[in-house]
């Protein structure tokens, strides 16, 4: 699995914290995470990290994991992933 290309983003790129990587790995959602566009990955991480309270941090992480599991949601909005012709 290749790394995500963030080179086209113009905003601050947020590094993924270890606790988020652990949660993605333990939940089996790491590949679903990496399949999302770079802007979504960056938005999720920045949003999680901006939480001031640990309860909010956990709730946001849980929301991201749920949305990745569902596959058709991004930040509580409908999301239709692009189909990859090589996966047909």
């Amino acid at each position: 699995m290749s790394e995500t290309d963030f080179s086209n983003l113009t905003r601050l790129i947020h590094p993924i914290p270890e606790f988020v990587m652990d949660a993605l790995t333990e939940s089996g959602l790491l590949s679903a995470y990496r399949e999302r566009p770079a802007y979504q990955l960056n938005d999720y991480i920045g949003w999680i990290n901006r939480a001031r309270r640990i309860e909010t941090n956990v709730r946001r992480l849980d929301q991201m994991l749920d949305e990745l599991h569902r596959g058709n949601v991004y930040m509580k909005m409908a999301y239709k992933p692009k189909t990859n012709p090589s996966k047909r």
Side-chain angles (χ1 to χ4, degrees):
M1 192 176 315
S2 64
E3 291 295 315
T4 304
D5 179 13
F6 290 96
S7 63
N8 62 343
L9 296 183
T10 56
R11 59 188 119 162
L12 176 67
I13 298 171
H14 304 284
I16 185 167
E18 188 174 336
F19 76 93
V20 173
M21 183 60 78
D22 290 345
L24 288 166
T25 302
E26 290 170 13
S27 66
L29 292 169
L30 185 57
S31 63
Y33 174 81
R34 289 185 172 160
E35 290 173 3
R36 293 290 181 110
Y39 78 90
Q40 287 186 12
L41 306 182
N42 198 48
D43 286 352
Y44 272 134
I45 299 305
W47 178 63
I48 291 168
N49 284 336
R50 282 191 302 276
R52 293 183 183 177
R53 298 176 57 215
I54 191 70
E55 296 86 0
T56 306
N57 191 281
V58 170
R59 188 180 75 245
R60 290 177 180 184
L61 175 62
D62 288 344
Q63 179 182 327
M64 179 189 78
L65 294 173
D66 178 62
E67 291 179 358
L68 291 172
H69 176 74
R70 291 168 53 195
N72 62 350
V73 180
Y74 164 67
M75 296 289 196
K76 297 185 178 181
M77 298 178 289
Y79 167 70
K80 184 175 181 183
K82 293 183 179 179
T83 56
N84 186 342
S86 65
K87 292 185 178 182
R88 287 183 191 172

